[in-house]
Amino acid sequence: MKIIEKNNARRFRQQGMSMNDIARRLGVSKASVSLWVRDIKLTKTQQGKLTARGFSISAIEKRRTNRLANTNKKHQVVVDKAKSEVKQLSKYELLLVGTALYWGEGNKSNRNVAGISNSDPLVIRIMMKFFKEICNVKKEKFRAHVHAYSHSDIKATEQYWSKVSDIPIKQFYRTYTKQSSASKGKRNSLPYGTLQIYVCDTNVALSIKGSLDRLKEISL
């Protein structure tokens, strides 16, 4: 038995120290401390201090932080497991992913133009990969149109989207700037506005429509 640790634990407990603090200070388990000091009765004053300490702002915040950390760890396990199940995209899988994204976000009203608009740079990158590798669209065929807000640095915004999409700025239409008081709330959520990608090619638009129609059929 750890005689020295036990004696110190009893001394600290008699001084009104919490069992958690004793365990941390001596480097032993809380279960051991609880066993060693089980017969020691705290005074009402000591009990009051420990109770007040347990409900202090710092203690509450510490417990909240620990709960969040534990919850995040549990959530991350689920995320990591799902992530490990997704391998590299095959060409066929890219066809499905690109078609599904186009189903939700793409231009479906003009059969002569294929296009998609989004504020998420990852969506733009995936769709550019789709257009290039699945639809065989050449770099010079792309056109882009930035929709920015009144607070935006237009030059920086165009450079940002040009880098994301790999479309040269010379192939951008003139940036549209929205003048609205509502745009103030977009300063942080949409700092670069949205980007529209256009491919003025009837065959590309019809090809995507065919893939989309087939995806609808097999989804029923």
Side-chain angles (χ1 to χ4, degrees):
M1 181 183 291
K2 301 178 179 179
I3 300 299
I4 296 177
E5 286 83 353
K6 177 181 178 181
N7 290 337
N8 284 332
R10 291 182 63 81
R11 178 166 57 85
F12 291 145
R13 187 60 172 174
Q14 288 168 347
Q15 294 172 359
M17 189 178 293
S18 73
M19 285 189 281
N20 282 328
D21 286 343
I22 295 171
R24 282 194 294 269
R25 185 160 182 173
L26 298 180
V28 298
S29 70
K30 183 180 177 181
S32 294
V33 173
S34 179
L35 179 65
W36 293 338
V37 305
R38 65 185 185 279
D39 62 322
I40 297 176
K41 303 296 183 181
L42 298 178
T43 67
K44 290 184 178 180
T45 300
Q46 290 172 332
Q47 291 176 351
K49 287 182 179 179
L50 289 180
T51 300
R53 179 182 170 187
F55 285 97
S56 68
I57 294 176
S58 60
I60 293 172
E61 179 60 22
K62 184 176 181 180
R63 287 196 292 270
R64 186 188 71 83
T65 301
N66 288 337
R67 282 197 302 271
L68 286 175
N70 290 332
T71 299
N72 288 339
K73 286 180 181 179
K74 292 177 181 178
H75 289 176
Q76 193 60 46
V77 169
V78 178
V79 170
D80 290 341
K81 181 178 183 299
K83 185 177 178 180
S84 69
E85 295 172 353
V86 179
K87 310 304 179 182
Q88 294 294 324
L89 282 177
S90 67
K91 191 166 184 178
Y92 177 67
E93 289 164 340
L94 178 58
L95 167 64
L96 295 180
V97 170
T99 302
L101 281 174
Y102 199 91
W103 189 353
E105 306 291 338
N107 167 43
K108 296 174 281 289
S109 61
N110 189 335
R111 294 192 176 185
N112 297 314
V113 178
I116 190 169
S117 175
N118 212 273
S119 61
D120 189 334
L122 292 179
V123 171
I124 296 299
R125 288 192 177 103
I126 290 174
M127 289 308 298
M128 286 299 295
K129 186 178 180 69
F130 169 79
F131 281 130
K132 289 178 179 179
E133 297 183 16
I134 303 301
C135 304
N136 298 312
V137 178
K138 302 300 181 183
K139 189 171 183 177
E140 62 271 14
K141 292 283 290 183
F142 289 103
R143 294 294 181 270
H145 193 191
V146 176
H147 282 224
Y149 293 92
S150 55
H151 64 266
S152 302
D153 180 328
I154 300 303
K155 184 176 181 180
T157 298
E158 291 175 346
Q159 290 174 340
Y160 170 81
W161 284 119
S162 177
K163 184 176 180 179
V164 167
S165 65
D166 195 35
I167 300 175
I169 292 179
K170 65 181 181 181
Q171 292 172 217
F172 278 44
Y173 294 123
R174 183 176 180 179
T175 294
Y176 169 78
T177 303
K178 183 177 181 180
Q179 300 288 342
S180 170
S181 58
S183 70
K184 294 178 181 179
K186 305 293 184 179
R187 185 179 300 275
N188 296 319
S189 61
L190 292 175
Y192 296 105
T194 61
L195 180 71
Q196 290 181 318
I197 301 170
Y198 298 102
V199 178
C200 298
D201 189 309
T202 302
N203 288 335
V204 171
L206 292 176
S207 177
I208 295 174
K209 182 183 184 304
S211 297
L212 183 53
D213 288 346
R214 179 55 182 159
L215 189 58
K216 291 176 180 178
E217 290 173 358
I218 62 177
S219 297
L220 297 176

